[in-house]
Amino acid sequence: ILKSRRLDEDTKAEIEELLISADVGVEATEYIIKKLEEKKSEDAFGTLKEVLIEILSKPNGLNIPVEKPFVISMVGVNGSGKTTTCGKLAAMFREEGKQVVIGACDTFRAAAIDQLKVWAERAGATFISHMEGADAAAVAFDAVNHAISKSKDVVILDTAGRLHNKRHLMEELAKINRVIKKVLPNAPHEVLLVIDAVTGQNGLQQAKTFREIVGVTGIVLTKLDGTAKGGIAIAIAKELGIPIKFVGVGEGLEDLKPFNPHDFVEALLA
Amino acid sequence: GLREKLSNAFRVLSGKGKITEKNIEEAVQIVKTSLLAADVSYKVVKEFVENVKKRALGEEVLKSLTPDQMFIKIVRDELVRLLGEREPLKLVHNPSYVMMVGLQGTGKTTSAAKIANYLKKQGKRPILVAADTYRPAAIDQLEVLGRKIGVPVITGDRRNAIKIVQDAMRQVKDSGYDVVILDTAGRLHVDEEMMQELEEIKKMIRPDEILLTVDAMAGQDAVNSARTFNERLEVTGFVVTKLDGDSRGGVILTIRYITGKPVKFVGVGEKVDDFDEFYPDRIANRILG
Ligand SMILES: Nc1nc2c(ncn2[C@@H]2O[C@H](COP(=O)(O)OP(=O)(O)OP(=O)(O)O)[C@@H](O)[C@H]2O)c(=O)[nH]1
Ligand SMILES: Nc1nc2c(ncn2[C@@H]2O[C@H](COP(=O)(O)OP(=O)(O)OP(=O)(O)O)[C@@H](O)[C@H]2O)c(=O)[nH]1
Ligand SMILES: [Mg+2]
Ligand SMILES: [Mg+2]
């Protein structure tokens, strides 16, 4: 269907609909179409693919420090897939022969600790938790200290879902960072913002606010096994330059892949 | 916001001389851009602005002294009309079954407890059924919530959703509980096996309500999931969750337009009391930004 053609008015309209329907958003879509107009290519869709890949191609490796432990904090709005992704990431590191500690910093939501415990068991990670209602920062402190004293390689901290417009909840997250830094000044080495691929333009605001308050180093885009294209990742890459590091493609332990711009764009344009 | 943009557009237009059918297109584009930024489905936006344009021309907005105000009134009225009226739960049978369905993480389990709490406050005798056998600790989650609100939770053998529902039906018969609220596992609308599970459950319990939970921050793809869930199950209404966020919630117009089914409740927080009835004019203002 996407055969070689120039960027005429019909093609422009088709591309606009394709990108908007993929959640790329109005602004990023306008920018992309402008880029296509500048390039004057004979193959609009081929060039579109290149432009999208270029926007998404950012260094997306993990910032693994020289000294153990490597501390990762998982943040994001309610229901995006943080807890499940903690399990998947832990399994990934276990595959590499690494020792993993999981910290249950969601001390608020019903059965959050139980849920994460199951994932820690499945992944073969040490599980650090306190009582429900305990101070989330205290759990983080405990988990990092445990990893240091037992010489573990990775600490993954699950945090409670929170909407970015809730100031006091965002402050709690900032506090967790400060408390971790008391033990390990460069930690957390990664703060991964978990975003559901179904998310619309509000995802841009999520990324802005989380980065502003807790310093996001990368994004995990989940539920890409659905029909949502996750084009919000393009808006975020273009607007904020935050790299997508992983994608979630299912509910199982194995369903996490490193982000590949080519595959992502192919699927988006399909 | 939208109001300022439109008032500027019409001022510029009237400054250029007579407002014509051709240049009202600019106002239409402003509305289109605004609704797309609010996450309303692309196709719905196209049809919506076409209707607005027809009405604007028909009502001679162009001849009005305040065309921008008339225009935005038409947009707002159209939006409120499409968002529909608030409709109550229709609980006809005894016991009535309310089935919660939806994509992963949209708020089914939390909303099941909220609805149970809401009905209990109205003097009903609700009971919850935990039929999510997939997500770790999903059953525990509903049990904790049930304890909090003083509503019993049926959990069955925890391994087979169909069996849990069968056992629950036996238990609630002649039990005095008049509403059974069933929590199900989150699932993709394209997961054939999981959609069949819902169809099978529906056949068994013949629910009075099938409520699809939708996340207020959902984007363009919601048109696909809402349509599919509705086509396969004939949902009776929506619960739109996480409206305490700052998403404009254009998905609400999409799901209304595509299915015609009513929004019965909105979730406005994580606590069990953070639960409201649907007010279309409030939602219209939010979508218009
Ligand atoms: N299909 C699919 N489902 C996913 C994916 N990642 C997570 N989920 C599901 O999404 C739902 C929510 O996942 P959680 O891990 O509980 O999300 P969370 O962000 O920890 O939620 P809160 O802690 O309540 O904010 C669960 O049903 C998961 O199984 C994914 O990549 N694909
Ligand atoms: N802020 C806010 N959070 C909500 C609302 N409704 C649900 N949540 C939160 O969203 C997250 C997901 O809620 P769940 O009830 O577990 O969602 P679910 O649909 O049952 O998830 P699955 O069973 O995994 O598909 C939890 O963190 C809830 O506390 C709401 O109206 N506002
Ligand atoms: Mg969680
Ligand atoms: Mg649930």
Side-chain angles (χ1 to χ4, degrees):
Chain A
I1 34 158
L2 305 184
K3 53 193 180 331
S4 234
R5 50 178 148 141
R6 280 227 196 90
L7 192 69
D8 56 24
E9 284 309 308
D10 284 342
T11 307
K12 226 187 266 184
E14 203 170 316
I15 289 177
E16 177 190 85
E17 178 165 3
L18 181 63
L19 295 179
I20 299 275
S21 302
D23 287 317
V24 172
V26 175
E27 279 196 41
T29 297
E30 286 179 354
Y31 167 83
I32 291 163
I33 291 187
K34 216 182 246 110
K35 266 252 174 281
L36 291 179
E37 286 169 338
E38 287 168 15
K39 289 183 186 259
K40 301 188 194 305
S41 112
E42 291 296 312
D43 175 14
F45 282 95
T47 308
L48 173 63
K49 197 167 161 194
E50 288 172 16
V51 169
L52 293 177
I53 290 174
E54 189 190 353
I55 293 172
L56 290 168
S57 294
K58 309 197 167 303
N60 66 351
L62 289 172
N63 306 319
I64 305 180
V66 172
E67 287 206 17
K68 301 196 300 197
F70 169 35
V71 180
I72 303 171
S73 178
M74 308 294 294
V75 304
V77 301
N78 305 73
S80 60
K82 298 173 292 299
T83 303
T84 309
T85 306
C86 283
K88 294 173 181 179
L89 268 176
M92 193 188 78
F93 286 115
R94 292 289 298 138
E95 279 283 299
E96 298 171 7
K98 301 260 157 65
Q99 302 253 40
V100 183
V101 174
I102 286 180
C105 303
D106 180 354
T107 55
F108 168 73
R109 207 209 67 211
I113 296 172
D114 298 313
Q115 181 190 7
L116 186 63
K117 186 156 195 269
V118 172
W119 284 112
E121 286 165 358
R122 286 179 184 176
T126 306
F127 187 62
I128 300 289
S129 66
H130 295 180
M131 301 290 307
E132 186 175 303
D135 176 23
V139 183
F141 190 77
D142 196 358
V144 175
N145 269 319
H146 176 92
I148 293 172
S149 67
K150 304 282 183 190
S151 197
K152 300 285 168 85
D153 300 294
V154 188
V155 179
I156 302 172
L157 302 170
D158 187 22
T159 67
R162 68 205 67 218
L163 298 180
H164 52 285
N165 57 318
K166 308 250 167 125
R167 195 78 212 183
H168 61 296
L169 295 181
M170 296 305 290
E171 286 305 323
E172 176 196 71
L173 217 45
K175 178 180 164 209
I176 293 177
N177 277 0
R178 286 197 298 275
V179 165
I180 296 172
K181 287 191 185 303
K182 289 188 187 155
V183 194
L184 218 55
N186 293 329
H189 306 94
E190 285 281 348
V191 175
L192 297 180
L193 175 62
V194 181
I195 298 185
D196 188 328
V198 168
T199 310
Q201 296 312 299
N202 192 252
L204 197 51
Q205 196 53 47
Q206 288 174 27
K208 268 200 191 107
T209 308
F210 272 90
R211 180 169 71 173
E212 194 183 311
I213 303 186
V214 295
V216 173
T217 58
I219 287 173
V220 180
L221 195 61
T222 60
K223 308 179 200 173
L224 266 174
D225 46 318
T227 52
K229 302 284 182 161
I232 193 62
I234 293 172
I236 291 173
K238 151 87 188 46
E239 208 44 45
L240 305 172
I242 303 176
I244 313 294
K245 302 216 170 180
F246 295 99
V247 294
V249 291
E251 301 189 73
L253 204 60
E254 314 281 295
D255 295 326
L256 188 73
K257 297 209 236 125
F259 178 68
N260 180 319
H262 286 259
D263 295 348
F264 180 81
V265 171
E266 289 260 351
L268 194 142
L269 297 179
Chain B
L2 184 63
R3 223 171 270 275
E4 287 82 359
K5 290 205 182 85
L6 283 176
S7 116
N8 287 336
F10 277 101
R11 189 173 317 130
V12 169
L13 291 178
S14 57
K16 290 201 180 108
K18 179 163 156 293
I19 297 179
T20 66
E21 178 175 335
K22 190 159 183 295
N23 55 30
I24 201 174
E25 191 54 40
E26 180 166 343
V28 169
Q29 281 305 316
I30 289 173
V31 174
K32 176 182 171 197
T33 302
S34 176
L35 292 178
L36 289 177
D39 292 322
V40 181
S41 150
Y42 190 87
K43 287 209 164 69
V44 172
V45 171
K46 271 186 116 175
E47 292 184 25
F48 181 86
V49 299
E50 269 310 300
N51 290 334
V52 162
K53 186 174 173 184
K54 280 201 191 81
R55 262 190 71 180
L57 294 173
E59 289 181 26
E60 309 205 305
V61 158
L62 307 173
K63 299 203 176 117
S64 151
L65 286 175
T66 54
D68 61 318
Q69 291 188 31
M70 246 194 111
F71 193 80
I72 197 141
K73 181 167 187 319
I74 290 172
V75 171
R76 203 175 167 289
D77 288 351
E78 252 319 271
L79 187 50
V80 171
R81 185 182 71 82
L82 288 170
L83 289 173
E85 302 270 320
R86 58 163 291 263
E87 279 190 35
L89 290 176
K90 293 201 176 75
L91 304 177
V92 177
H93 297 92
N94 195 337
S96 305
Y97 281 83
V98 175
M99 191 175 166
M100 309 298 298
V101 304
L103 296 173
Q104 290 90 346
T106 47
K108 296 173 291 300
T109 304
T110 309
S111 302
K114 288 176 176 180
I115 291 172
N117 191 45
Y118 170 85
L119 290 171
K120 188 173 180 209
K121 290 219 204 100
Q122 291 191 333
K124 291 272 190 185
R125 297 200 58 203
I127 189 163
L128 288 158
V129 179
D132 178 354
T133 53
Y134 304 90
R135 170 174 153 154
I139 294 177
D140 303 272
Q141 184 185 3
L142 194 62
E143 281 185 308
V144 170
L145 293 173
R147 261 198 305 279
K148 227 184 229 149
I149 60 177
V151 171
V153 181
I154 297 177
T155 59
D157 79 350
R158 290 170 181 259
R159 274 165 305 159
N160 179 332
I162 302 296
K163 248 195 122 280
I164 292 175
V165 175
Q166 281 170 344
D167 291 344
M169 289 178 76
R170 266 191 294 270
Q171 284 187 51
V172 298
K173 200 162 153 48
D174 308 323
S175 65
Y177 291 106
D178 52 15
V179 191
V180 183
I181 300 150
L182 189 79
D183 184 25
T184 66
R187 66 204 66 212
L188 298 175
H189 52 293
V190 290
D191 186 331
E192 185 51 34
E193 214 168 293
M194 291 299 275
M195 292 305 286
Q196 284 182 14
E197 177 187 270
L198 288 182
E199 287 169 335
E200 196 173 340
I201 292 174
K202 176 186 176 178
K203 256 208 206 89
M204 287 167 45
I205 63 177
R206 288 190 255 151
D208 283 343
E209 291 279 355
I210 299 180
L211 300 177
L212 178 63
T213 50
V214 176
D215 196 321
M217 66 181 92
Q220 296 285 320
D221 193 63
V223 70
N224 297 319
S225 47
R227 180 186 291 123
T228 304
F229 270 95
N230 189 40
E231 281 175 353
R232 297 201 57 163
L233 298 171
E234 283 178 84
V235 307
T236 57
F238 300 103
V239 178
V240 180
T241 60
K242 308 178 202 171
L243 268 168
D244 46 318
D246 58 10
S247 163
R248 279 173 58 190
V251 67
I252 302 175
L253 177 59
T254 300
I255 63 184
R256 279 284 308 146
Y257 197 90
I258 294 294
T259 68
K261 300 298 166 69
V263 177
K264 301 231 169 179
F265 294 108
V266 298
V268 293
E270 294 194 72
K271 300 206 234 38
V272 96
D273 289 318
D274 297 329
F275 195 59
D276 263 338
E277 292 169 345
F278 173 65
Y279 294 104
D281 44 328
R282 283 188 206 168
I283 298 296
N285 286 336
R286 180 186 183 121
I287 292 176
L288 290 178

